[in-house]
């Protein structure tokens, strides 16, 4: 375990997840002003934890708005779902009022719903009832094997209406005693497992929940496969290379926020390693330059741990972009960037095609042999 830092140097260096949670719990004081060391530490959660959280997610910490809260928190947001803790689903580390524990939760925002119920005669009770119903619906939509070992009830040790609403809105949770926190590896593994549940829960709203008795009558057209973007080349048959380039460059591809956040996370990390990073290269995601060499990067979100679609899309786009957009030598090297591992088999397949592979895991950025050799794996 790392030594706990004093209040005087809380903001002087980056901490890992375990150390960060420990220091928030040991220094937070609700009676202290909003410019206290602990409050500043919470507001810098992004800087401390951005390399430790799943790729493409956004991090935010808070000890209250205007006045200190009883229960400080650190949120991990899927940007395609929400970046507002008042609405939508998000992951949160929520400290108990007595600060003796912190609970990792997949929770629902309560502020927006509370405002919608402003005229209800039993506002708080109705709020909690709706949150419980929605939490149960989300749990029902996620594969049971993913929920094994997670708690479905939460106790934050507070009588505040907001804290009681958080308890009601919890989809799944895991409570940690501050003086007995798991190892760093254990904490990160739990966070990444919960991120998988989070992704499934988000997609459940667009995908019908099918019981075994419903399979025979399911309309196959009702299933909605999550897509990163609309295909700008659908029903297009180019006459020649110039026709392809004109058509593709003229179209705008709709990118989801997690895809953009992944690029925004990866690009600056490599800029710090001496690469010149270029993002204004539509329709390509990213171009890297160093020492006379260049790399063409295509970023893909892996959905539900199923890498097949992401790998196929990356291969198709990288090869076609290199052929049509970089016809003159020297051709750029190719890089497939993923939000998570695509597995050893797919990594070997991509390398056999001359495509280096980079992804983010619980321990930080990782990559295939070619990616490591080219210096494309950011060091956390």
């Amino acid at each position: 375990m790392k030594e706990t830092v004093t209040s005087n140097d809380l903001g002087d260096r980056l901490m890992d997840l375990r150390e960060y949670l420990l220091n928030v719990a040991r220094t937070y004081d609700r009676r202290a002003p909003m410019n206290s060391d602990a409050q500043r530490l919470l507001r810098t959660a992004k800087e401390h934890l951005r390399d430790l959280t799943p790729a493409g997610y956004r991090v935010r910490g808070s000890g209250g708005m205007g006045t200190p809260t009883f229960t400080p928190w650190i949120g991990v947001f899927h940007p395609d779902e929400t970046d507002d803790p008042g609405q939508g689903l998000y992951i949160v580390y929520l400290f108990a009022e007595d600060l003796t524990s912190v609970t990792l939760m997949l929770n629902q925002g309560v502020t927006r719903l509370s405002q919608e119920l402003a005229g209800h005669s039993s506002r708080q009770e109705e709020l909690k009832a709706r949150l419980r119903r929605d939490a149960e619906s989300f749990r029902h939509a996620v594969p049971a094997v993913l929920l094994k070992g997670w708690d479905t009830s939460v106790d934050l040790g507070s009588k505040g209406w907001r804290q009681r609403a958080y308890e009601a809105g919890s989809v799944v949770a895991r409570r940690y005693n501050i003086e007995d926190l798991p190892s760093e590896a254990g904490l990160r593994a739990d966070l990444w497992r919960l991120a998988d549940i989070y992704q499934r829960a988000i997609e459940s709203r667009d995908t019908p929940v099918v019981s075994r008795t419903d399979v025979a009558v399911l309309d196959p057209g009702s299933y909605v496969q999550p897509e990163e973007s609309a295909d700008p080349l659908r029903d297009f048959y180019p006459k020649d290379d110039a026709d392809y380039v004109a058509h593709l460059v003229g179209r705008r591809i709709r990118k989801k926020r997690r895809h953009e956040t992944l690029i925004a996370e990866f690009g600056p990390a490599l800029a710090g390693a001496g690469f010149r990073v270029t993002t204004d290269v539509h329709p390509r995601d990213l171009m890297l330059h160093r020492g006379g060499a260049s790399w063409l990067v295509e970023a893909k979100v892996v959905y539900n741990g199923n890498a097949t679609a992401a790998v196929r899309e990356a291969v198709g786009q990288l090869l076609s972009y290199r052929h049509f957009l970089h016809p003159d030598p020297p051709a750029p090297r190719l890089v497939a960037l993923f939000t998570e591992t695509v597995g050893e088999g797919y990594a070997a397949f991509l390398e056999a095609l001359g495509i280096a592979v980079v992804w983010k895991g619980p321990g930080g950025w990782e990559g295939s042999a070619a990616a490591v050799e080219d210096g494309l794996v950011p060091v956390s």
Side-chain angles (χ1 to χ4, degrees), residues 314-315 318-319 334-336 347 349-357 368 370:
V315 169
L318 284 168
L319 294 179
L334 304 180
V335 184
F349 165 69
L350 289 164
E351 286 233 331
L353 296 175
I355 301 173
V357 191
S368 63

Side-chain angles (χ1 to χ4, degrees), residues 192-227:
W192 284 65
R193 281 192 287 266
L194 189 56
D196 192 9
I197 296 173
Y198 186 15
Q199 179 72 47
R200 303 293 183 105
I202 292 171
E203 292 174 5
S204 72
R205 285 190 301 247
D206 299 322
T207 305
V209 179
V210 184
S211 67
R212 286 187 175 88
T213 58
D214 293 331
V215 171
V217 295
L218 174 65
D219 175 7
S222 64
Y223 177 74
V224 179
Q225 176 67 32
E227 294 181 317

Side-chain angles (χ1 to χ4, degrees), residues 37-228:
D37 289 325
Q39 289 285 356
R40 289 198 296 271
L41 179 61
L42 284 161
R43 289 195 292 271
T44 58
K46 176 182 177 180
E47 285 70 30
H48 286 280
L49 305 182
R50 62 188 170 193
D51 291 334
L52 315 179
T53 49
Y57 284 74
R58 296 174 183 171
V59 181
R60 173 183 169 189
S62 177
M65 297 293 289
T67 58
T69 180
F70 285 100
T71 50
W73 54 268
I74 302 101
V76 181
F77 302 89
H78 189 307
D80 292 319
E81 165 66 9
T82 186
D83 54 11
D84 178 2
Q87 61 181 338
L89 275 177
Y90 61 98
I91 294 173
V92 64
Y93 289 95
L94 193 56
F95 289 84
E97 186 170 319
D98 63 7
L99 300 172
T100 62
S101 67
V102 61
T103 301
L104 173 63
M105 310 165 61
L106 178 58
N107 210 344
Q108 303 171 71
V110 304
T111 302
R112 176 67 64 84
L113 181 56
S114 177
Q115 293 170 345
E116 292 175 359
L117 296 173
H120 199 281
S121 58
S122 302
R123 177 181 181 180
Q124 293 183 18
E125 291 306 311
E126 179 63 19
L127 172 66
K128 288 185 287 186
R130 291 198 188 184
L131 290 168
R132 290 191 189 100
R133 287 198 300 269
D134 288 345
E136 181 60 31
S137 294
F138 283 123
R139 285 192 292 269
H140 183 65
V142 174
V145 66
L146 295 181
L147 302 180
K148 187 176 181 180
W150 290 91
D151 298 324
T152 56
S153 61
V154 174
D155 183 0
L156 297 173
S158 175
K159 295 181 179 179
W161 76 266
R162 186 176 293 275
Q163 285 72 24
R164 292 291 178 87
Y166 291 150
E167 293 171 353
S170 175
V171 179
V172 291
R174 181 158 292 162
R175 180 178 177 273
Y176 308 117
N177 291 323
I178 292 298
E179 298 306 321
D180 189 27
L181 284 175
S183 66
E184 177 70 14
L187 287 170
R188 293 193 198 184
D190 284 351
L191 174 58
W192 284 65
R193 281 192 287 266
L194 189 56
D196 192 9
I197 296 173
Y198 186 15
Q199 179 72 47
R200 303 293 183 105
I202 292 171
E203 292 174 5
S204 72
R205 285 190 301 247
D206 299 322
T207 305
V209 179
V210 184
S211 67
R212 286 187 175 88
T213 58
D214 293 331
V215 171
V217 295
L218 174 65
D219 175 7
S222 64
Y223 177 74
V224 179
Q225 176 67 32
E227 294 181 317
E228 181 179 295

Side-chain angles (χ1 to χ4, degrees), residues 283-297:
R284 294 151 292 189
D285 285 335
L286 201 66
M287 290 293 298
L288 308 172
H289 310 273
R290 188 173 72 174
S294 61
W295 291 260
L296 167 59
V297 182

